Amino acid sequence: MIDIIALRRELHRYPELGFTEFRTATKVVQMLTALGYRVTYGKDAIDDASRRGLPKPEVLEDAYQRALQEGAEPAIVEQMRGGFTAVVAELDGIQEGPTTAFRFDMDALPIRESMQDKHVPQSGQFRSTHEGIMHACAHDGHTSIGLALAERLSDRQFPGKVRLLFQPAEEGVRGAYAMVEKGMLDQVDRLFCMHLGTDVPSGHVKGASAGFLATTKLEAHFTGVSSHAGASPEEGRNALLGAATAMLNIHALPRFSTADTRINVGILEGGTGANIIAEHARMVIETRSTKEETNHELERRVRQILEHSAAMHELRVTVEIVGGAIPIRCDMELAELAVKKAEGISGIRHAEAISDGAALGSEDASYMIKRVQEQGGLATYMIVGSDLPAPHHHPEFDIDEAVLAPAVEWLERLARNV
């Protein structure tokens, strides 16, 4: 029987960034195969052309080689080489019924984990072994819950089919869209997505969440002409100046009366020296809104600013979408079912149908939810509360491991529909 706390701690020690979850995904494949699931992974589980914000080839290869050194099964991980780290597993129940899917994300964050003694992973000796990378958003817990659920359901005592989706690259909202485009959400009748924490205390669960924003993440590259900044500045075309022009005008975009909006230039970099006209500049931008159509309009205006700023300074500019999400609309029928199934579970003291707070972040499970709903199915995004010593995406982030087992039982009841 899986020791869910030990499993979570092992995954915590070996965090991997989006599309480099080679060791994690290999372990998932091995465990699901041993439990009798039909397992799909590698290029069969995710659409190559639809992946967003893919790391550079050398980054992917370094992570691949590291996974091999850390014990990843070569025959399995070879199928994931190049960043194909999605895993989907399916199992038939003992009688006819719906296809019920559960989604679990696997990736970590580029954060250096705390070494303070008060930080439990440090004192408990399961702190990240990959410096500069840590599980600071509970995805190690999510993956552990998914594998423990798989073990529980391996007896096949449920109606219909169960499909387990282990998603790469949720951070930066990059991985779900490509799994949807590959058809991994087709023929799903019920989809349950979940997250640990999110300012909900231990012992509390929510059947649905509200407030997730539509977002587009854009990466722009400005290309100009370098020249000597003192001797021949007129011969240069300053890419950094063009990018700076764009940044100021992007932040000058008006707010909207039709929806709440957010906009941010998170990265602006370029140039090689004080006496050199910058030939290249890179900018990463995000737009967000409570409405999908408003976010599209924000994106259009940002692209217009990028193009016109480049033209002002006689530059070339290329723009790529490196992440995205849409608002989430949960089906209250599933949310109310989730509340009912939480009754009587040891460790769950309070359940309610919908979170009363606004998340104001973004989640690419939104694409999975939309696909299921478009095909006539139902979907929801649930919260399993966890007391947190520090906020999500913080070096001292950790979860209350006592909530893991009740979460598995909750999902098991939803799968068995008992």
Side-chain angles (χ1 to χ4, degrees), residues 84-263:
F84 297 92
T85 46
V87 181
V88 179
E90 195 166 86
L91 193 67
D92 296 323
I94 59 171
Q95 64 190 61
E96 292 296 318
T99 295
T100 301
F102 298 88
R103 176 268 202 170
F104 309 97
D105 38 16
M106 301 183 291
D107 57 323
L109 285 153
I111 296 173
R112 186 174 187 272
E113 187 163 11
S114 172
M115 298 182 69
Q116 296 187 43
D117 289 339
K118 67 177 182 178
H119 184 54
V120 173
Q122 170 69 18
S123 59
Q125 299 184 333
F126 61 97
R127 179 184 178 273
S128 170
T129 59
H130 300 158
E131 280 302 312
I133 304 173
M134 74 169 286
H135 275 294
C137 202
H139 297 186
D140 51 343
H142 300 169
T143 303
S144 301
I145 289 169
L147 291 170
L149 175 66
E151 182 184 52
R152 293 277 193 96
L153 297 177
S154 63
D155 63 4
R156 301 176 184 264
Q157 299 299 307
F158 56 84
K161 297 180 181 179
V162 163
R163 188 179 300 177
L164 306 178
L165 304 145
F166 291 84
Q167 181 203 317
E170 186 282 324
E171 302 296 350
V173 286
R174 297 176 289 154
Y177 180 76
M179 293 183 72
V180 169
E181 290 299 294
K182 192 66 175 179
M184 295 297 101
L185 277 297
D186 293 352
Q187 287 82 53
V188 170
D189 299 295
R190 307 188 306 167
L191 171 64
F192 296 95
C193 306
M194 56 143 287
H195 206 295
L196 291 166
T198 70
D199 297 324
V200 177
S202 294
H204 292 234
V205 297
K206 312 282 186 176
S209 300
F212 287 109
L213 303 179
T215 186
T216 306
K217 319 295 186 188
L218 300 168
E219 183 168 321
H221 290 267
F222 292 81
T223 304
V225 178
S226 63
S227 66
H228 195 289
S232 54
E234 75 283 1
E235 298 297 329
R237 299 294 182 267
N238 196 323
L240 191 54
L241 183 57
T245 299
M247 180 184 71
L248 292 174
N249 283 279
I250 287 170
H251 276 281
L253 281 170
R255 302 289 75 85
F256 281 67
S257 61
T258 55
D260 290 339
T261 58
R262 303 283 190 276
I263 198 158

Side-chain angles (χ1 to χ4, degrees), residues 16 22-23 62-73 77:
E16 297 167 298
F22 298 111
R23 184 185 186 277
D62 286 348
Y64 172 80
Q65 295 297 335
R66 183 184 64 193
L68 286 172
Q69 294 168 9
E70 293 176 343
E73 173 61 42
V77 75

Side-chain angles (χ1 to χ4, degrees), residues 196-204 349 384-392 396-403:
L196 291 166
T198 70
D199 297 324
V200 177
S202 294
H204 292 234
R349 302 187 302 275
V384 175
S386 172
D387 296 336
L388 305 175
H392 291 266
E396 295 175 21
F397 177 87
D398 192 25
I399 60 172
D400 176 7
E401 293 175 328
V403 308

Side-chain angles (χ1 to χ4, degrees), residues 256 258-261 289 291-299:
F256 281 67
T258 55
D260 290 339
T261 58
S289 178
K291 291 186 177 180
E292 186 175 359
E293 57 270 25
T294 304
N295 184 65
H296 284 319
E297 175 59 17
L298 262 182
E299 180 189 339

